[in-house]
Amino acid sequence: MQLSSAHNVLLQLSTKPKERTLPFRYSVDPILGITCFSNDDNSASQPRKSSDASSASSKRPIEVIDLVSSDDEKHEVNVNHKRPRTDSLAPARAPTPASQRGTHFHAVEVPVKAPFAIVPKAQPAIAHRQQFEEHLKALKGPKVTVVNDVDESSPSTTFQFVQKSIHRDGVTQGPEEIMIGCTCRKDNGRNIGCEYLSCECLDDSALNDMGHRVFPYGAGRQDAGCLRNFYLESRHHIYECNQRCNCESNCKNRKVQHGRQVPLEIFKTKNRGWGLRCPVTLRKGEFIDTYRGEIITREEADDRGTKRSTDQANYFMNFDKFCEPEAITKSEFLRDFPDKIDEHREKVVNGDWEIYHSKDGEEMWLNPEYVPYEYVCDGMHVGGPTRFMNHSCDPNCRLFTVSYNHFDNNLYDLAFFTLEEIPAGTELTFDYKDEDDRSIITDDEARQKKERDGYMPPKCLCGTPECRRYFFN
């Protein structure tokens, strides 16, 4: 709450001796803060200097007074706090119109036991902003800033920015000893190596329609270092070179591991909380940053999820890239696993699986090959700038998985790349659902989910023509 030069205020006394009603006014000194005073019966229009008021208050102490604004924000003030001497007071005047300031104060008559003085609680808005900006300094690379042209709020100052995700109890990463590096010559590809498809790090990469492997990053003048269309138009996993490779750090197949190379801006949106944008134009396929947080076990994620309210934002990212789908259609089950029908029926009878129907009306059965993912990334309290990216049903970015160790399918990087050229200052968004199913979720379907699961699915606020209205089925 930021105060202007002089206003009438509402004060509430914490004690109630024999009271009388007096008009009360205060003035604001930009350096010393607020100086408050009351009027005596014989001097209703003469302000009392703070030094006089302080002296009088020592004779008739009043412990606490609340300063109350129209936005229901209370500020406790301690009258026993010693204040610097001031020789003059700004003349009291009529309140500034609400449209011209952030907080609206009311002029009232206050029951007081004169004389007295108060000291306001320090205003938190500027201090919070400065504290959050200090946290941003923990990030390496181009500058990350915070902008709020909507109100005086600031992102949570308890959020911890980190360069790498933090592994919590129960999380084990594959040892470096099992990593295999490529044997590419350092002088390959204009002395920066691994430009050719013979690189062993591409052995597990996806094949194109011609049966060939595709190098992930462009090398031309316009798309150097950008993710190629083969990957952008799919969800193929990306394999980069690692510390055991023969190539050097400037290898073309080392993009995400070098971290963010573009400036970012965390900003306040009008109706969707905080968002993220870039102050410079981004090319199609350009790497933005990774999604980071606390890496926890699936069991820990379930425990945290039950403790959070249904209206809290969810910052969980599952490491399920290499997991088989949990459910398959009945026809697929009967075709591929005819010998497991009795086993599936037993799971249904025991309540271990509940058959449901797909959008096309097919029964969905439990996939016998399904193995649950082990780890989850929780970005609620720890992470990077991409934690502030909002959802859109028509996004301009997508999250891709990136590995350096071919033998560890449980942990990898989560990297954001642009899907198109994005002009400077445009909000960066991605699809939280990230599925090909673009069908709209109706209000009736949302209510049915509430009846089934006990809560309404989150309503989408992206505002695009492709909006699905709700996030999840």
Side-chain angles (χ1 to χ4, degrees):
M1 180 178 67
Q2 188 172 359
L3 304 175
S4 54
S5 58
H7 304 291
N8 294 309
V9 296
L10 171 63
L11 294 176
Q12 296 177 338
L13 299 184
S14 61
T15 58
K16 292 185 178 180
K18 293 181 180 180
E19 298 174 341
R20 52 193 176 123
T21 300
L22 296 175
F24 177 82
R25 303 175 76 81
Y26 79 90
S27 66
V28 178
D29 184 295
I31 303 299
L32 301 178
I34 304 175
T35 302
C36 294
F37 53 88
S38 68
N39 294 328
D40 296 324
D41 290 336
N42 298 328
S43 56
S45 62
Q46 297 298 322
R48 184 185 303 274
K49 293 184 178 180
S50 60
S51 58
D52 297 335
S54 299
S55 175
S57 65
S58 63
K59 301 176 182 178
R60 295 182 177 183
I62 297 175
E63 295 179 357
V64 176
I65 300 175
D66 285 342
L67 176 61
V68 185
S69 67
S70 61
D71 58 2
D72 296 330
E73 184 182 19
K74 289 190 176 184
H75 300 266
E76 286 191 352
V77 289
N78 189 344
V79 299
N80 297 322
H81 180 77
K82 294 183 179 180
R83 297 196 36 81
R85 179 183 177 87
T86 179
D87 295 327
S88 62
L89 296 171
R93 58 179 175 80
T96 304
S99 61
Q100 299 180 17
R101 63 179 186 273
T103 307
H104 184 197
F105 293 90
H106 305 280
V108 297
E109 288 191 333
V110 183
V112 299
K113 188 175 180 180
F116 64 89
I118 71 170
V119 178
K121 187 175 181 178
Q123 305 305 317
I126 297 177
H128 285 179
R129 179 74 57 80
Q130 292 174 341
Q131 186 177 357
F132 186 80
E133 290 172 343
E134 282 296 316
H135 293 342
L136 288 172
K137 293 180 180 179
L139 298 172
K140 298 179 181 179
K143 191 173 183 179
V144 179
T145 55
V146 58
V147 174
N148 186 351
D149 297 325
V150 177
D151 53 36
E152 294 183 350
S153 65
S154 175
S156 173
T157 55
T158 62
F159 185 78
Q160 178 186 358
F161 286 100
V162 292
Q163 284 294 115
K164 293 183 178 180
S165 292
I166 300 175
H167 293 186
R168 298 304 188 190
D169 292 343
V171 177
T172 304
Q173 190 166 19
E176 184 178 330
E177 288 72 24
I178 67 173
M179 296 176 69
I180 296 178
C182 68
T183 58
C184 298
R185 298 198 320 270
K186 293 181 175 61
D187 58 348
N188 277 353
R190 291 169 299 198
N191 298 317
I192 46 181
C194 302
E195 185 178 15
Y196 302 110
L197 300 179
S198 58
C199 176
E200 293 95 328
C201 290
L202 301 179
D203 285 351
D204 295 327
S205 299
L207 303 176
N208 62 13
D209 294 337
M210 304 292 294
H212 300 150
R213 305 196 187 281
V214 179
F215 192 81
Y217 304 115
R221 183 172 299 178
Q222 301 297 325
D223 67 343
C226 293
L227 195 64
R228 286 178 163 156
N229 286 339
F230 173 73
Y231 290 88
L232 290 177
E233 296 169 358
S234 68
R235 295 178 180 83
H236 295 313
H237 189 71
I238 301 169
Y239 290 96
E240 288 194 356
C241 293
N242 58 63
Q243 57 266 40
R244 296 177 70 89
C245 290
N246 192 51
C247 59
E248 295 184 341
S249 62
N250 60 351
C251 165
K252 285 184 180 180
N253 197 29
R254 296 176 184 264
K255 185 68 178 177
V256 173
Q257 61 192 265
H258 288 322
R260 177 178 55 85
Q261 302 298 316
V262 297
L264 294 174
E265 187 174 87
I266 300 168
F267 74 103
K268 187 66 176 289
T269 67
K270 292 183 179 180
N271 66 335
R272 297 193 297 160
W274 295 93
L276 190 69
R277 62 192 178 196
C278 181
V280 299
T281 298
L282 296 172
R283 298 171 297 166
K284 179 181 179 180
E286 190 150 9
F287 169 59
I288 301 170
D289 200 356
T290 56
Y291 187 87
R292 304 186 288 277
E294 300 174 89
I295 309 300
I296 56 179
T297 62
R298 180 167 49 87
E299 293 76 16
E300 172 65 16
D302 291 341
D303 183 58
R304 293 187 183 188
T306 57
K307 293 177 180 178
R308 294 174 186 173
S309 61
T310 56
D311 58 348
Q312 270 188 305
N314 185 348
Y315 296 97
F316 288 147
M317 291 281 189
N318 301 333
F319 288 91
D320 56 0
K321 179 66 176 181
F322 298 97
C323 292
E324 294 292 333
E326 182 177 13
I328 57 177
T329 64
K330 178 181 178 180
S331 57
E332 290 174 324
F333 191 105
L334 297 178
R335 181 194 65 200
D336 299 333
F337 308 102
D339 57 329
K340 296 185 179 296
I341 295 177
D342 292 339
E343 182 180 333
H344 182 270
R345 286 174 178 168
E346 184 178 349
K347 290 181 181 295
V348 174
V349 171
N350 294 336
D352 297 329
W353 179 257
E354 182 179 350
I355 295 177
Y356 65 95
H357 292 81
S358 68
K359 283 279 187 179
D360 299 327
E362 288 192 82
E363 287 189 5
M364 302 300 294
W365 288 24
L366 177 63
N367 184 359
E369 293 184 345
Y370 171 69
V371 177
Y373 54 89
E374 292 190 29
Y375 304 133
V376 177
C377 181
D378 184 3
M380 185 169 188
H381 301 295
V382 175
T386 56
R387 183 261 199 191
F388 296 91
M389 288 179 67
N390 280 318
H391 162 84
S392 175
C393 295
D394 186 22
N396 52 21
C397 301
R398 175 174 285 171
L399 191 67
F400 291 86
T401 54
V402 183
S403 283
Y404 317 103
N405 188 343
H406 292 236
F407 298 98
D408 188 356
N409 290 335
N410 293 321
L411 287 175
Y412 37 79
D413 274 345
L414 306 171
F416 285 101
F417 288 85
T418 63
L419 295 174
E420 59 195 40
E421 182 178 297
I422 303 177
T426 303
E427 182 175 6
L428 305 177
T429 59
F430 74 107
D431 190 344
Y432 287 2
K433 191 175 180 182
D434 195 28
E435 291 181 1
D436 294 326
D437 182 9
R438 314 295 298 178
S439 57
I440 292 176
I441 302 175
T442 65
D443 292 337
D444 287 340
E445 290 175 322
R447 282 190 288 269
Q448 291 172 8
K449 178 176 177 62
K450 181 180 180 181
E451 293 175 359
R452 184 175 67 249
D453 300 335
Y455 64 92
M456 284 286 286
K459 198 158 189 177
C460 182
L461 301 175
C462 73
T464 63
E466 294 79 7
C467 182
R468 294 190 293 261
R469 301 180 67 177
Y470 294 90
F471 281 137
F472 306 106
N473 286 315

